[in-house]
Amino acid sequence: LGGGRWLLDYGKAFSGMLHFDEGVPTPIVPEGGNYPRAHGYKAASAKGEPFITVIYGESLEMTTGDINRVLTAGLGLHDGGPRHVSKKEGQTRGTYCFPDDHDDILSQKDVYVINQASKSNSGGLVSLARQSHFTTHSFRFAEVCCSAEPPRNAHALLYRTAVTEWGTFDSSNVRINGGYELVKNAMASNMLSVQSDCPHREKLPYGGDLVADSPAAMHMFDMSSFYKKTVVDWMDAQWGNGAYTETSVWQDLNDYAGIGNGAGETVWASAPPVLTVRHMQHYGDIKLLEDSLPHHVRWIDFLDGHFEAGMLKKGYDKELDEYTGQKSGLGDWLAMRSRDTYLTHTAFYMASGRCVAYIARKVGLSAVEERGMALARKIQERIAHLYLKNGKDNFDFPRGSASHTPGPEMSLVSRIVPGEKRCVVLKNWFRRSGHTWPGDEEMRFLREVSEEDKEALVATKEISKRGNQWAMGWSQWQGFNEGIFAIRYSMKALSDMGFHNVALRKANGFGFATPEYMMGHNATTMWESWWRSEDLYSRNHPMLGAVAEWMSSSAAGVSYYPTTTGARKMLFWPRFPNSAATLEYASATQGTIKGDYSIAWRFEDLPADKSKYDSAKVKVRVRMLVPPGGEAVVLSPVFKSHKTTASLSTATIFPDLVNAKLSAIKECKRRRKARLGFPYSWEYDRSAKKWHKRVSRKAIGTPCESYLFHSSLDKTEWSKEMDITSTYAQRNDQPIALGITILPGLHEILFNDWPLEEEVEGSGRIGSIPEYYNSNDHGPYCKDSSTFEWQIDDGTHII
């Protein structure tokens, strides 16, 4: 970079530090003694001591090519006000800002100093200086300064708590695969003793992030010890009055958003009981239930005593007649929509009661169980009363306009909506639509993109007019708009209630507010926001990553059975797209304390002409692996034709899956090395001040097929096929009742005459789906008015 600066690009963002295999390079003093900004170190310069600095960052500042330290520090909202001596108030408003007096505070920086007494042996000391021994940083890029020669063999080390990685997902779809990788990379960057929000500045265990992302984390990693420690940390931090805090180490950060008296925001503070239940479902640790239950009871004691008064004090009237949305509270954080903070506060009060009832049932305390259930039912009934009183059957607060988040999806997944209303509420949900977006970076991008590229964006409907200006837009059904919580609820509600094709459309979305948008701007980890931030929001943040668990559980089809404990029983529920143009195959492995459960499905006999991918009849082959001592229930996707048949068979001689897996991994590594993943990126030409789209193939998102379909298994001997058509051709509002139990072994289901069909388009990228809300068909699981109540042993739908 000039001036003795060297830029290193490691290709992927993560948390860790540099390791200089041959020691740091020999330091030089720049001409005139003027160090490049951020690379000075006054304490050493004053003594004439030579030094090497390393500056870390996750992105480059687009107008200079230097590491973007403003983004790392999160100073986008700083206006140079009275606390900072380097700028006058208002001087930097509207521009990127990094005050000089913050350089030593908010830069991610390592400094290697050769002290005065050791100058005579400076060469030897330089060769021995290998890495920082304590501080970790979040980075993809590192600047090393100042040396005449570049550092040699400077490796990047990823640091995280040594939890076992045991969950995988793959498919034929580059965008969906890439979204999964963004989340996994961000999750791995934020697990160092605590599950943090971001690995460079706050590094804090926020309860909301844990509530939102723990299902994804427990899919990807064995979090048994890690999350047990997390619950214990919160118990240690619990106030004497029973209030739980927002973070497991109290920071007084957002207490204003709670109900007062020391409680964190209700969703964030409810993380300990919610996490305890999920821990039991996954790992079966009764001791954690016994140890934590008294603390969780104190939490609902606190809520019983302070919630109603606290909410009134925050401006929520009892009947919500004056409530217009988004009062005190964090709610569905960083959504594109306004937030319904009453619903999130109150629903997690209900969830805390459910958690206490669930735990008490498991440890045999019937009186505590009854108290928790009574509390949960009372709050559930109150929410239902308030959110149905407008008479519109859209499950919205009385003065709502079906525009806040979470919408009905949270209440559908959490079984808050009364059973007799769930189908009409689901139908009316499809009336929601998206909107254009006036964000600074997106509007600046459109001013600086070529006319040719702009016309291409118009053609794909990624941009449309906002007044007289072109603007990007966020979508309800062809992308994302949801915040931290509603992502999981929207995807689960769609897939589990018969509209999996819409969930796939969201995950496969392109343009603004999608994983594709992030990867198009060279993301390798999930961003903190759906919009691009050059000065505030982190680019290594798993907060919006709940979609990753949906990929394994719904797009592939393996998850924990809702009422299981300690992974005694798992659920295989593969669901297929309408069109093979969306997805041709998918697979996932879910590690458990019992062993690995794996599933893979693929379309077979696809036509050579891809224009027929939405009209042909094909076979669908599904393979499932159940480990020794395990058990699984297999559900079928909804049959769309009376001609479809299904048969089940089991491998009579267990094949060599170890070598099949090793061979599949080797093949996948070859494909990734060939960069068969995400194919392009937007690049900024600093001299021309123009954005342009460049072909730039990457490894991220590379499709790899499952080892369960590796060619080495082609000669597997199978049992005689058992016809299961009559079982799966039935319709039932509780599809889990139609499941078939399978025991340890390798199993295969073959669906014949499976019809492919066109995807439902709706009214456009940022429009609604009138084909659904104008239809008399409310979906495959809405044929009767059977109850929709939460069952006390159900850990999946507790919230």
Side-chain angles (χ1 to χ4, degrees):
L1 300 178
R5 279 192 304 161
W6 304 95
L7 180 66
L8 308 178
D9 178 1
Y10 288 95
K12 182 174 80 171
F14 51 88
S15 177
M17 73 276 287
L18 291 192
H19 180 85
F20 299 91
D21 287 5
E22 300 179 32
V24 298
T26 301
I28 62 171
V29 177
E31 188 176 344
N34 296 316
Y35 283 86
R37 192 171 190 198
H39 285 286
Y41 189 60
K42 295 175 183 177
S45 296
K47 299 176 183 178
E49 295 174 336
F51 59 89
I52 289 287
T53 54
V54 183
I55 297 293
Y56 298 87
E58 54 195 358
S59 68
L60 300 180
E61 207 283 306
M62 54 184 283
T63 61
T64 66
D66 297 338
I67 283 179
N68 190 337
R69 296 180 303 127
V70 178
L71 180 63
T72 297
L75 282 174
L77 299 181
H78 176 58
D79 68 354
R83 290 192 301 161
H84 309 293
V85 299
S86 63
K87 302 288 182 183
K88 292 181 180 179
E89 186 167 4
Q91 183 176 337
T92 62
R93 187 172 286 127
T95 65
Y96 303 138
C97 168
F98 200 109
D100 291 334
D101 54 309
H102 271 45
D103 195 35
D104 291 331
I105 303 172
L106 291 173
S107 286
Q108 292 191 107
K109 185 174 182 178
D110 290 337
V111 184
Y112 298 87
V113 181
I114 300 171
N115 62 42
Q116 195 73 271
S118 305
K119 266 190 169 183
S120 60
N121 186 32
S122 61
L125 286 174
V126 163
S127 67
L128 293 174
R130 302 298 173 89
Q131 72 174 78
S132 163
H133 291 287
F134 179 73
T135 304
T136 58
H137 308 285
S138 172
F139 67 104
R140 169 181 168 174
F141 302 96
E143 279 184 21
V144 180
C145 189
C146 296
S147 64
E149 298 294 329
R152 292 184 298 179
N153 292 327
H155 289 87
L157 304 181
L158 185 152
Y159 270 59
R160 67 165 172 83
T161 299
V163 292
T164 300
E165 183 177 340
W166 67 8
T168 65
F169 168 82
D170 218 320
S171 78
S172 62
N173 189 299
V174 169
R175 293 176 193 157
I176 296 177
N177 296 346
Y180 182 86
E181 285 191 57
L182 292 179
V183 178
K184 181 171 272 191
N185 290 342
M187 196 71 76
S189 300
N190 282 276
M191 291 194 301
L192 196 55
S193 181
V194 298
Q195 183 179 317
S196 54
D197 60 321
C198 54
H200 33 38
R201 49 186 194 240
E202 294 168 82
K203 301 185 178 182
L204 287 175
Y206 284 101
D209 299 52
L210 285 158
V211 166
D213 290 339
S214 52
M218 288 189 283
H219 154 64
M220 294 173 172
F221 303 98
D222 177 359
M223 302 293 282
S224 53
S225 297
F226 193 100
Y227 276 162
K228 184 173 185 176
K229 173 196 176 293
T230 299
V231 173
V232 171
D233 285 348
W234 244 285
M235 288 156 51
D236 288 345
Q238 188 173 25
W239 294 109
N241 63 2
Y244 277 131
T245 55
E246 180 194 15
T247 56
S248 64
V249 179
W250 181 68
Q251 296 285 316
D252 193 19
L253 283 170
N254 294 304
D255 284 10
Y256 71 90
I259 58 172
N261 297 283
E265 206 273 4
T266 311
V267 183
W268 273 247
S270 297
V274 171
L275 202 56
T276 303
V277 169
R278 290 175 178 170
H279 193 280
M280 182 63 186
Q281 186 184 33
H282 285 68
Y283 312 118
D285 189 339
I286 285 286
K287 184 68 164 57
L288 179 61
L289 301 190
E290 294 170 343
D291 292 346
S292 64
L293 181 58
H295 292 265
H296 302 331
V297 169
R298 287 174 56 211
W299 167 236
I300 64 169
D301 286 343
F302 170 83
L303 290 172
D304 284 350
H306 296 90
F307 188 83
E308 188 170 343
M311 293 291 279
L312 287 170
K313 189 175 181 179
K314 296 292 184 178
Y316 297 94
D317 59 295
K318 287 187 177 181
E319 286 295 310
L320 299 187
D321 292 327
E322 304 301 319
Y323 174 62
T324 56
Q326 198 161 325
K327 283 186 175 291
S328 178
L330 301 176
D332 197 24
W333 187 242
L334 287 190
M336 309 301 299
R337 297 179 177 277
S338 296
R339 289 164 277 136
D340 183 354
T341 47
Y342 177 86
L343 180 59
T344 47
H345 271 302
T346 311
F348 275 83
Y349 180 15
M350 176 204 73
S352 295
R354 286 180 174 181
C355 290
V356 165
Y358 175 100
I359 296 168
R361 163 72 66 94
K362 296 291 183 282
V363 299
L365 295 176
S366 58
V368 179
E369 174 192 329
E370 290 170 7
R371 182 197 168 189
M373 280 299 288
L375 172 65
R377 286 197 189 100
K378 180 181 75 173
I379 300 169
Q380 176 187 348
E381 290 168 3
R382 174 150 189 79
I383 295 172
H385 159 70
L386 293 172
Y387 280 69
L388 289 169
K389 67 186 286 188
N390 65 14
K392 298 178 182 178
D393 286 339
N394 59 3
F395 216 76
D396 198 8
F397 54 89
R399 296 181 63 184
S401 54
S403 60
H404 285 68
T405 183
E409 65 269 38
M410 177 184 184
S411 299
L412 287 167
V413 172
S414 302
R415 309 298 194 254
I416 298 173
V417 178
E420 67 274 12
K421 289 289 187 180
R422 75 187 185 283
C423 296
V424 67
V425 167
L426 174 68
K427 172 182 174 178
N428 285 326
W429 183 30
F430 292 112
R431 296 179 183 275
R432 290 198 169 207
S433 58
H435 209 288
T436 54
W437 171 251
D440 292 346
E441 295 300 340
E442 281 70 34
M443 298 302 282
R444 186 177 292 116
F445 173 92
L446 292 176
R447 290 195 297 269
E448 296 179 341
V449 74
S450 71
E451 286 303 314
E452 181 183 357
D453 282 332
K454 188 179 291 184
E455 288 173 7
L457 294 171
V458 173
T460 58
K461 301 181 181 179
E462 292 174 65
I463 62 175
S464 55
K465 285 292 182 126
R466 182 183 176 93
N468 61 359
Q469 289 184 299
W470 289 109
M472 297 184 187
W474 50 267
S475 176
Q476 174 67 38
W477 307 112
Q478 297 182 31
F480 292 96
N481 67 89
E482 297 86 355
I484 182 172
F485 307 115
I487 296 169
R488 174 173 176 263
Y489 295 128
S490 64
M491 301 300 276
K492 287 287 192 183
L494 289 167
S495 290
D496 290 358
M497 299 192 73
F499 295 91
H500 181 63
N501 60 304
V502 182
L504 279 171
R505 191 73 179 270
K506 288 171 72 68
N508 186 38
F510 59 90
F512 178 67
T514 65
E516 182 271 347
Y517 181 71
M518 298 180 190
M519 288 185 287
H521 286 278
N522 290 308
T524 58
T525 47
M526 199 74 176
W527 293 353
E528 183 178 6
S529 61
W530 290 117
W531 54 92
R532 182 169 58 86
S533 172
E534 296 291 341
D535 59 350
L536 177 61
Y537 293 107
S538 163
R539 293 194 184 179
N540 192 342
H541 213 100
M543 182 181 76
L544 297 174
V547 68
E549 188 272 336
W550 166 87
M551 292 175 187
S552 61
S553 65
S554 300
V558 58
S559 62
Y560 286 76
Y561 194 81
T563 59
T564 195
T565 58
R568 289 178 174 85
K569 183 187 292 187
M570 298 295 285
L571 177 64
F572 287 126
W573 191 3
R575 282 153 282 191
F576 314 134
N578 285 353
S579 168
T582 304
L583 211 57
E584 294 180 34
Y585 60 82
S587 64
T589 292
Q590 178 60 68
T592 74
I593 61 174
K594 294 284 186 182
D596 288 351
Y597 288 78
S598 295
I599 186 171
W601 65 262
R602 67 183 182 189
F603 289 134
E604 296 183 349
D605 296 342
L606 283 166
D609 182 357
K610 291 192 174 184
S611 67
K612 298 179 181 179
Y613 270 27
D614 54 10
S615 60
K617 286 190 176 181
V618 298
K619 292 179 180 179
V620 191
R621 193 177 302 274
V622 184
R623 287 183 178 169
M624 299 155 290
L625 176 67
V626 179
E631 177 186 347
V633 171
V634 186
L635 304 186
S636 166
V638 177
F639 281 23
K640 297 183 178 181
S641 168
H642 68 276
K643 295 182 180 179
T644 299
T645 62
S647 60
L648 172 67
S649 56
T650 302
T652 55
I653 299 176
F654 202 72
D656 186 354
L657 293 179
V658 173
N659 278 323
K661 182 179 287 188
L662 291 173
S663 298
I665 291 172
K666 184 177 179 179
E667 170 63 13
C668 190
K669 286 181 177 179
R670 184 195 66 78
R671 292 174 60 81
R672 290 183 68 85
K673 191 173 181 179
R675 296 176 176 265
L676 299 179
F678 196 77
Y680 53 84
S681 59
W682 289 99
E683 305 291 348
Y684 187 70
D685 184 332
R686 293 193 292 275
S687 58
K689 295 185 178 179
K690 285 287 184 182
W691 286 94
H692 62 277
K693 194 173 187 178
R694 182 169 68 91
V695 174
S696 174
R697 297 209 70 94
K698 305 172 178 67
I700 190 170
T702 297
C704 296
E705 199 162 5
S706 170
Y707 73 98
L708 293 181
F709 285 127
H710 190 263
S711 58
S712 64
L713 303 182
D714 288 350
K715 295 182 180 179
T716 299
E717 295 182 11
W718 300 91
S719 65
K720 183 179 179 181
E721 293 181 353
M722 179 174 66
D723 188 351
I724 54 174
T725 305
S726 59
T727 300
Y728 283 161
Q730 299 178 58
R731 294 285 186 95
N732 190 299
D733 275 18
Q734 301 295 331
I736 206 162
L738 301 178
I740 294 173
T741 298
I742 57 175
L743 299 175
L746 179 63
H747 308 269
E748 180 175 279
I749 295 179
L750 183 63
F751 296 95
N752 286 298
D753 287 321
W754 189 272
L756 301 176
E757 57 189 34
E758 291 184 356
E759 296 290 359
V760 174
E761 283 301 316
S763 59
R765 185 179 184 278
I766 61 174
S768 59
I769 309 184
E771 294 96 326
Y772 289 151
Y773 64 74
N774 286 330
S775 172
N776 291 324
D777 183 358
H778 294 182
Y781 306 128
C782 289
K783 299 302 180 186
D784 58 55
S785 58
S786 62
T787 60
F788 201 50
E789 288 295 310
W790 174 74
Q791 303 300 313
I792 192 169
D793 292 317
D794 183 351
T796 299
H797 302 98
I798 205 158
I799 188 62

